[in-house]
């Protein structure tokens, strides 16, 4: 519930960490829209996969209110289900057409984008240099999009190494607002469809890492309603945004 404290809140600029989550990444947009009137805006962002995309547009100076129509157009025209490379090529073109900044250094606030080193393992944090290749690497879900080569090394989705990449803010973790858009749904009977099974196993594989990353953050936001659909359900972008907004609008502020 929003309290009188929210009404008199002084605008606080804090580091935000945005998880991956496919279509559920639209929940980040809703959370950002809900927190701004409550006095919280990012002054730096770390993100992976879908969270890296949302973070990049925010750091590029786009208003959160403008992001959902842009993402809907991108998702609707992405043909990744017919093969990895056509979808990947379209997303790259979309990013180059809609991002004003070419390099991290051109952004309006610090941005840290994470990807996973496919050759040696481990997380790579991109904070400088050309922006689009880092974003493409961060979003390269294995078997959905092809790996991305940067400086001779192949990278895939950053969620594999940490789907809540707090590492860039390790020295001020107590200030971080961390948003995670992959709550686990109740298991039920265990009868899951193909995409639901892939989605659940994918996020189970790094749930423990996410839990450790969330510990010590100022505010950890995980809208439970996002468990109602998978990260591949492109029809649910608007619903994901609404769930994020409604949940973040009604949560009590940390003490």
């Amino acid at each position: 519930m929003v309290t009188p404290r929210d009404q008199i809140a002084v605008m606080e600029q804090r580091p935000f960490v945005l998880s991956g989550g496919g279509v559920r990444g639209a929940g980040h947009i809703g959370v950002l829209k809900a927190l701004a009137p409550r006095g919280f805006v990012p002054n730096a962002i770390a993100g992976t996969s879908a969270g890296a995309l949302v973070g990049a547009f925010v750091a590029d100076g786009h208003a959160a209110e403008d992001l959902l129509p842009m993402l809907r157009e991108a998702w609707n025209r992405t043909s990744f289900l017919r093969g990895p490379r056509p979808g990947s090529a379209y997303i790259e073109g979309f990013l180059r057409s809609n991002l004003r900044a070419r390099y991290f250094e051109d952004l309006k606030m610090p941005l840290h984008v994470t990807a996973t080193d496919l050759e040696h393992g481990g997380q790579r944090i991109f904070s400088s240099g050309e922006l689009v290749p880092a974003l493409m690497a961060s979003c390269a879900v294995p078997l959905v999009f092809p790996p991305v080569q940067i400086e001779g090394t192949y990278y895939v989705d950053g969620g594999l190494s940490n789907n809540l990449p707090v590492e860039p803010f390790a020295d001020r973790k107590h200030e971080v607002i961390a948003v995670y858009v992959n709550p686990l749904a109740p298991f039920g009977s265990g009868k899951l469809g193909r995409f639901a099974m892939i989605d659940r196993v994918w996020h189970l594989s790094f749930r423990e890492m996410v839990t450790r990353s969330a510990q010590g953050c100022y505010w950890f936001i995980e809208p439970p309603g996002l468990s109602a659909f998978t990260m591949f359900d492109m029809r649910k972008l608007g619903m994901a945004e609404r769930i994020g907004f409604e949940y973040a609008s009604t949560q009590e502020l940390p003490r």
Side-chain angles (χ1 to χ4, degrees):
M1 178 179 295
V2 177
T3 68
R5 180 185 171 199
D6 299 333
Q7 305 302 322
I8 60 173
V10 176
M11 191 67 71
E12 293 188 22
Q13 295 187 343
R14 290 179 172 272
F16 276 55
V17 175
L18 308 179
S19 75
V23 169
R24 288 191 295 244
H28 291 308
I29 301 172
V31 170
L32 289 165
K33 288 170 61 176
L35 292 189
R38 303 185 70 182
F40 297 96
V41 295
N43 61 2
I45 298 173
T48 194
S49 201
L53 293 183
V54 172
F57 279 100
V58 172
D60 196 43
H62 295 263
E65 290 77 8
D66 298 333
L67 296 186
L68 186 63
M70 295 173 63
L71 289 181
R72 179 176 284 118
E73 177 187 358
W75 275 108
N76 286 345
R77 296 182 62 182
T78 297
S79 56
F80 71 85
L81 291 178
R82 296 197 299 271
R85 295 193 182 279
S88 180
Y90 176 76
I91 291 178
E92 181 175 359
F94 168 81
L95 293 174
R96 293 193 183 279
S97 297
N98 289 280
L99 286 169
R100 306 178 184 105
R102 181 177 177 184
Y103 298 96
F104 280 87
E105 292 82 357
D106 300 329
L107 296 168
K108 299 182 182 300
M109 69 179 71
L111 175 69
H112 309 279
V113 171
T114 68
T116 301
D117 185 330
L118 184 60
E119 298 181 48
H120 309 100
Q123 181 190 71
R124 166 82 184 268
I125 301 172
F126 296 91
S127 305
S128 62
E130 194 172 356
L131 181 58
V132 169
L135 292 172
M136 294 299 297
S138 186
C139 297
V141 178
L143 305 181
V144 177
F145 297 120
V148 174
Q149 188 178 36
I150 301 176
E151 299 173 350
T153 299
Y154 284 95
Y155 295 94
V156 291
D157 193 287
L160 286 170
S161 47
N162 188 357
N163 206 22
L164 195 68
V166 297
E167 291 83 359
F169 307 127
D171 60 341
R172 51 180 177 144
K173 192 175 180 182
H174 62 283
E175 301 177 10
V176 167
I177 294 178
V179 186
Y180 190 65
V181 295
N182 305 289
L184 286 176
F187 190 57
S189 65
K191 295 181 179 178
L192 300 175
R194 176 188 175 195
F195 285 126
M197 178 63 78
I198 293 172
D199 182 273
R200 188 174 187 88
V201 171
W202 173 262
H203 291 103
L204 277 174
S205 68
F206 41 70
R207 182 75 188 186
E208 184 176 350
M209 171 67 82
V210 167
T211 300
R212 289 199 301 268
S213 294
Q215 291 174 349
C217 289
Y218 170 74
W219 198 355
F220 177 62
I221 298 174
E222 184 182 23
L226 293 173
S227 67
F229 45 89
T230 76
M231 63 182 182
F232 302 108
D233 196 341
M234 292 185 287
R235 300 165 300 174
K236 301 297 176 61
L237 274 172
M239 181 182 296
E241 189 269 349
R242 288 193 300 273
I243 289 171
F245 179 84
E246 292 170 1
Y247 184 78
S249 296
T250 57
Q251 294 306 290
E252 292 188 6
L253 300 182
R255 301 296 179 183

